[in-house]
Amino acid sequence: MNEEILQYLWNFKKFRRFDFVSVDGKNIEILDFGEWNKNSGPDFLFAKIKIDDIIFAGNIEIHTKASDWFFHNHSGNPEFGNLILHAVYINDCDIPELKNQQIPTLELRDYIDETLIQKHQNLREEHSFIPCENLFDKDKIPLFFEEEVLLKKLDFKSESLELSLKKNQNNYEAVLFQQLAYTFGLKVNAEIFLQLAESLDFSLIQKIKQNKLQLEALLFGICNFLDEPKDEMMKVWKREFHFLKIKFNLKEVRIAPKFSKLRPPNFPTIRLSQLANLYHSQPNLFSKIIEAKTIDDLYLIFENISASEYWDNHFNFGKISPVESQKLLSKDFIDLIIINAILPIKYFYQKNHNPEIVDDIFEFYKQLKPEKNSVLDEWKNLGMKFENALKTQAFLYQYKTFCTQKKCLNCSIGFQLLKSQD
């Protein structure tokens, strides 16, 4: 038994009977169970109870044990000054403070069906994928579930973007550059590429982006890739980087991207060159992203972005590859960029400037093909079908935020499953 399940039972009135009697023998009629309070203070606000034909209006606090009143440091807390009832699963001690104020205590264990508690405990037990695996029914998924979950994810992402915006002195373009760098780094180099981007004043990118050679040299140089040139092209990049260091008084930054556990097309050399070419090829990148009306508009921005010619027969510096090929951004990688960097930025910007059209973001996700990974494969094993990225993004976020944290009672699917089992 825990407080979470007690609050759930109280909120949805899941009791075997309602002839409540306080621990000191007084009949209690609950006229209004109150509003569930997820913030600090009493668990239920604006409740009403009747005792001896007298109606009391105020708040209700719920605990697993009465002694939790002390452990939670409620004594003397003014937030609990308008309490009308202390509801507990087990009344293991008297609370003098409440007795003196004539606030009744209600012991709930005889009013609760133990099978409901067991069902909740079963949800929280370890399973191979999600807690409700044995109960899951895709037909219990609420209407507009995916849209609501995706909005939660975008709002959560917006919080970090807001902090980044303040750090970058309200420069949305700098925020975009950093988010793109993070995405181009993939899991292995995401944080490292972000560190690289944050180490640069974005005004420098804007000043040199017309010169692809310098832009590439800047990114390679900061990663210390050019310290020991292995061929003529590396010497050119090193010379350009040295020029930039002096001209813009660049501070020394030691950043070391990783190559391990990466396929050659994802090597940091290739991804940094592609990022440099993106900013060289798209001088008004942020404006184009914000003004894009369809997913095709976004694809046009990225479809011809490639690494520089040097990388046609290289994956690493000084090592010629036997197979020559242009290192274009793949369709799958463009989808990754759009999902993880572009659409969150579009939503964040619209939320701040055009809140009446933020729902338009759903159409972009619906036009993107569904992602593929092991988590989504597990959802498919439970009968789920994913037609687009809106659904995959929603269920990936649901799994990460609710399922792995076992927040079953805060999950709209979990609530429906529990409700159907009553």
Side-chain angles (χ1 to χ4, degrees), residues 376-392:
L376 294 171
D377 287 342
E378 293 285 358
W379 281 116
K380 289 176 185 177
N381 290 337
L382 295 177
M384 290 302 305
K385 293 182 180 179
F386 300 113
E387 296 83 15
N388 51 51
L390 188 152
K391 288 197 170 186
T392 54

Side-chain angles (χ1 to χ4, degrees), residues 74-88:
H74 293 330
S75 293
N77 186 336
E79 286 191 302
F80 295 85
N82 192 29
L83 211 65
I84 59 172
L85 181 66
H86 188 210
V88 302

